[in-house]
Amino acid sequence: KAGVTQTPRYLIKTRGQQVTLSCSPISGHRSVSWYQQTPGQGLQFLFEYFSETQRNKGNFPGRFSGRQFSNSRSEMNVSTLELGDSALYLCASSLRLAGGSYNEQFFGPGTRLTVL
Amino acid sequence: SQKIEQNSEALNIQEGKTATLTCNYTNYSPAYLQWYRQDPGRGPVFLLLIRENEKEKRKERLKVTFDTTLKQSLFHITASQPADSATYLCALGRLNYGGSQGNLIFGKGTKLSVKP
């Protein structure tokens, strides 16, 4: 079974631009969560989608948004990029709703975003 | 506020010894706890899950303990090998939705280096 895939793997953008990251979960997984990872803050939760609906949202500004499609693939968008948005963005999929049971999450390799 | 601490940012041990990593938390009542391994440039990989009513879990050379009174989990790697060198993350999980941290809250990780 193929793992979680994320595209692109690397991105370089400048301040003020916007970016869209893509995540394809493991086949059959309906929950997709997004995390931002930085050396200082570690892994921080962005949001979770299940059945095309956002179920949970982290403490990030409205510049961070996402969506999920009917095939469970998910995208996240960051508008008006700031230098502090430079990070590794990780997507994780799980079979069931994250809060519904004892789920392990399967992470993708991440997208390394650098904002100049 | 809720807080998760992994005892040290880095741990260096000799091959063959047992590595012990600590995860402490405050102001939180997790339903379960997970441990992940993360290699440079890659997403975390799930290792073990232990529920709040379990004291200990084992998987091959790995052992996890969970003490809800002390609010602490210990993660042991016995007979450690250089290939075990990686960053290990603990994550606290809950079953009910709500809050901006999502259902999995991650520690910042401990970087383990096993020297031959």
Side-chain angles (χ1 to χ4, degrees):
Chain A
K1 192 185 265 191
V4 178
T5 58
Q6 291 187 246
T7 57
R9 291 293 312 279
Y10 302 93
L11 262 181
I12 299 176
K13 293 284 187 178
T14 56
R15 277 182 301 175
Q17 288 187 306
Q18 77 162 16
V19 67
T20 298
L21 312 181
S22 181
C23 170
S24 292
I26 290 172
S27 176
H29 284 195
R30 295 168 63 193
S31 168
V32 174
S33 297
W34 288 89
Y35 295 86
Q36 181 195 67
Q37 187 175 35
T38 58
Q41 298 298 318
L43 265 164
Q44 292 195 291
F45 172 75
L46 280 158
F47 25 65
E48 181 192 8
Y49 285 88
F50 184 86
S51 294
E52 302 176 64
T53 302
Q54 188 180 88
R55 299 302 179 117
N56 241 348
K57 188 178 193 306
N59 276 331
F60 281 82
R63 301 185 296 108
F64 291 81
S65 63
R67 58 178 176 167
Q68 187 180 34
F69 302 96
S70 58
N71 61 358
S72 293
R73 191 177 69 85
S74 177
E75 288 182 348
M76 69 163 278
N77 184 277
V78 188
S79 62
T80 320
L81 284 166
E82 300 177 0
L83 294 178
D85 296 334
S86 294
L88 181 67
Y89 289 88
L90 291 160
C91 149
S93 77
S94 58
L95 195 59
R96 294 173 291 275
L97 202 52
S101 63
Y102 304 96
N103 276 314
E104 66 175 277
Q105 296 205 335
F106 295 83
F107 283 84
T111 295
R112 172 73 63 187
L113 172 64
T114 302
V115 182
L116 303 175
Chain B
S1 62
Q2 298 160 349
K3 199 173 177 183
I4 302 171
E5 285 184 341
Q6 294 193 239
N7 58 327
S8 55
E9 286 189 19
L11 180 65
N12 299 310
I13 64 166
Q14 208 66 33
E15 182 177 8
K17 300 291 185 184
T18 296
T20 299
L21 286 64
T22 305
C23 179
N24 294 297
Y25 59 93
T26 57
N27 298 324
Y28 201 73
S29 297
Y32 59 95
L33 188 146
Q34 299 180 347
W35 283 88
Y36 288 79
R37 168 184 172 141
Q38 187 173 23
D39 291 285
R42 307 185 76 168
V45 174
F46 171 81
L47 295 174
L48 280 168
L49 179 151
I50 185 165
R51 303 182 185 197
E52 60 178 334
N53 60 348
E54 298 174 318
K55 295 292 185 187
E56 183 180 296
K57 267 284 187 66
R58 290 175 186 263
K59 180 182 175 182
E60 297 171 352
R61 294 184 297 112
L62 309 179
K63 184 177 88 171
V64 172
T65 62
F66 193 12
D67 189 325
T68 54
T69 301
L70 291 178
K71 295 186 182 295
Q72 180 182 81
S73 174
L74 298 179
F75 176 78
H76 307 273
I77 306 175
T78 58
S80 59
Q81 305 164 359
D84 295 326
S85 298
T87 295
Y88 291 85
L89 305 167
C90 72
L92 301 181
R94 52 187 175 177
L95 295 178
N96 299 314
Y97 271 99
S100 59
Q101 290 181 295
N103 288 87
L104 263 189
I105 303 175
F106 284 84
K108 293 185 180 179
T110 295
K111 185 175 181 180
L112 174 67
S113 296
V114 181
K115 305 295 183 187

